[in-house]
Amino acid sequence: MFTRTDVAELVPQICGPVLLPGDPGFAEEVAGFNLAAVHRPDLVVGADDTGDVITAVQWAAAHDEPVGVQATGHGADLPMEGGLLLTTRRMQELVVDPVRRCARIGAGVRWGSVIDAIAPHGLGVLNGSSTHAGAVGYTLGGGLPVLGRVFGFAADWVRALEVVTPDGRLRAVDAEHEPELFALLLGGKGNLGIVTTMTLELFPLGPLLGGGIFWPGEDAQEVLAAFSRWAPGLPAAASTSVALRWMPRSAEVDPRVARRQVVHLRFCWVGDPEEGRRALEPMRSTGRPLLDTVAPLDYRRIDRVHLDATQPGLYVLTGEFLRDFDAAALAALLQHAGPGTQCPLPEVGIRLMGGALAGPGARDDAVTGRDAAFFLELIGRLSPGVAERTPPALAAILRALAPWSTGRAFVNLHGMPGGESERARAWSEEVYARLVRAKAVYDPQNLLRFQHVVGQVR
């Protein structure tokens, strides 16, 4: 634990706040979107710019103090104990070049800000299901976008990164400059450095059809069976997923589905809207829909597709890439999460992979999941009254679907992965070995040892 005297030399070198436990604003500075990961660092530095990041990392290395990083805290799965927490939410650089079709994005920028800046130019970007999440952290995990089957993983569209490595150096990396570091940052998450800016390629975005269809939870067998037959035959213009979920009561949720269990189909189509409607018709004619919101969609309203939570909460995310989602897999899923099972999870989803997600990346990277047909997405509550029931429920569903698993997890949605063998499942064996070797080169002190680390925990 540090005292004010211990950090006296650091404070005047940092433009942002430097806070110790007990200082006014400390709790607010360390808090993230996932309230289940309560960080208790010895020191928190709120970085205003890249210079603050460099100074903080150099100071931490000199004091052998481990470093954690947080922007929005959507992906904070493990609480941080001790160390220096570097918060990047103030790093709001955002420069859009519509002629070159690229955007330079600071470490703290959320997807919503990016979309608002590029939409007037008719351009799109590969955000995930919530535009409230940070763009950089999401992309460094690979990024599984709402429009992924059309355009691929978010990491496929990164042109360049600026990263502060644990030796305190700022490095500008791309496919030609330090290509191995660049490749392993794309999908390798935060193991090798702290990314301060990301240059992302943008794409022209034409007509978009998007929204959701909701059925009562008791229709799960019929709707999920129809989805398992329908989804694999969709063209790449369609991106879709389906979930058993308990809908909250909020301003964003239609009263017809609020506070009840539903089957929620999420659907997006890029291109001729009429073709999209024809592609969706088999699901529209299934069962007894309560609500159908699929319609032409302004991309600035893309959150209407998934309707993710917008308020911080106590939760855990996990999942598994699947080779198939056939009738037997559906039966196994419903046995543990279907209506009447008393499953405590607020959301159990199946996302269609394939399309551009199955293609080779634009360059070498560390992204996992290109060989998968589906992705199993699980959300568990860790709030009082249900927290004890959530881990066994997650484990039971993962065991039940194990016969269909590819054996790989997704680093952005891996939850609390535990030991090294489990953490390693976020990558292929070859990529994991490369990450471990690079970790020894770029971070021999193991300063970046929080969240989803590679190698032995030291």
Side-chain angles (χ1 to χ4, degrees), residues 71-421:
T72 66
H74 279 74
D77 298 314
L78 301 171
M80 179 178 167
E81 297 290 343
L84 184 157
L85 176 61
L86 188 62
T87 59
T88 60
R89 63 178 67 113
R90 294 171 181 81
M91 300 177 66
Q92 291 293 314
E93 179 183 2
L94 178 55
V95 180
V96 175
D97 185 337
V99 176
R100 295 177 59 235
R101 293 215 308 260
C102 66
R104 180 178 166 90
I105 302 169
V109 177
R110 297 173 187 257
W111 278 123
S113 298
V114 180
I115 292 169
D116 286 344
I118 68 176
H121 303 290
L123 298 173
V125 73
L126 291 178
N127 59 281
S129 57
S130 171
T131 63
H132 295 267
V136 170
Y138 159 92
T139 304
L140 294 180
L144 193 52
V146 176
L147 302 182
R149 282 176 42 83
V150 188
F151 299 106
F153 288 92
D156 296 341
W157 293 76
V158 177
R159 288 186 181 179
L161 299 168
E162 290 185 355
V163 56
V164 178
T165 43
D167 58 3
R169 287 181 55 193
L170 176 64
R171 302 168 188 259
V173 300
D174 56 27
E176 297 180 356
H177 304 92
E178 299 198 65
E180 179 69 354
L181 176 58
F182 181 60
L184 294 177
L185 287 168
L186 301 177
K189 207 60 176 173
N191 277 285
L192 305 178
I194 300 169
V195 172
T196 57
T197 61
M198 169 177 71
T199 300
L200 201 61
E201 185 175 351
L202 310 173
F203 50 83
L205 185 61
L208 175 65
L209 192 71
I213 304 177
F214 300 81
W215 293 264
E218 52 266 31
D219 286 3
Q221 171 67 53
E222 180 183 2
V223 175
L224 291 176
F227 176 85
S228 70
R229 296 188 299 267
W230 166 76
L234 287 172
S239 296
T240 188
S241 64
V242 67
L244 278 163
R245 62 185 299 194
W246 285 93
M247 299 299 295
R249 181 171 61 186
S250 70
E252 294 82 18
V253 176
D254 189 287
R256 285 170 285 183
V257 297
R259 300 197 69 180
R260 65 181 296 176
Q261 188 182 41
V262 300
V263 186
H264 180 195
L265 178 79
R266 288 74 72 104
F267 181 80
C268 280
W269 178 276
V270 177
D272 182 358
E274 189 55 41
E275 290 185 21
R277 293 185 187 96
R278 287 196 294 270
L280 183 59
E281 182 53 35
M283 293 304 297
R284 277 184 157 156
S285 60
T286 296
R288 306 165 293 161
L290 299 167
L291 178 66
D292 185 338
T293 68
V294 179
L297 185 67
D298 184 325
Y299 201 75
R300 286 168 287 195
R301 305 291 179 265
I302 193 67
D303 283 337
R304 295 181 181 179
V305 175
H306 280 256
L307 292 176
D308 277 7
T310 58
Q311 297 300 314
L314 296 143
Y315 62 87
V316 59
L317 305 176
T318 190
E320 198 89 354
F321 286 110
L322 304 178
R323 293 179 288 101
D324 198 1
F325 184 64
D326 56 16
L330 168 58
L333 182 68
L334 290 178
Q335 182 180 357
H336 292 275
T341 62
Q342 305 302 310
C343 177
L345 307 185
E347 186 167 333
V348 175
I350 299 290
R351 182 192 296 248
L352 180 66
M353 299 291 290
L357 294 168
R363 58 189 65 85
D364 187 21
D365 59 46
V367 175
T368 305
R370 298 186 191 277
D371 61 340
F374 293 90
F375 182 69
L376 170 69
E377 302 174 296
L378 305 177
I379 301 178
R381 291 194 190 99
L382 295 176
S383 49
V386 75
E388 292 184 358
R389 297 172 56 208
T390 291
L394 293 171
I397 294 173
L398 292 172
R399 283 196 303 270
L401 274 294
W404 294 270
S405 171
T406 67
R408 300 294 169 209
F410 190 55
V411 67
N412 275 353
L413 298 168
H414 201 175
M416 295 174 277
E420 183 181 8
S421 61

Side-chain angles (χ1 to χ4, degrees), residues 53-54 72 217-218 312 373 391 452 457:
V53 176
I54 294 171
T72 66
E218 52 266 31
H452 203 114
V457 177

Side-chain angles (χ1 to χ4, degrees), residues 39-76:
H39 300 312
R40 297 180 178 86
D42 296 329
L43 175 69
V44 60
V45 173
D48 265 6
D49 54 26
T50 297
D52 279 358
V53 176
I54 294 171
T55 300
V57 170
Q58 290 175 343
W59 186 90
H63 291 78
D64 197 25
E65 186 75 2
V67 177
V69 185
Q70 179 168 281
T72 66
H74 279 74

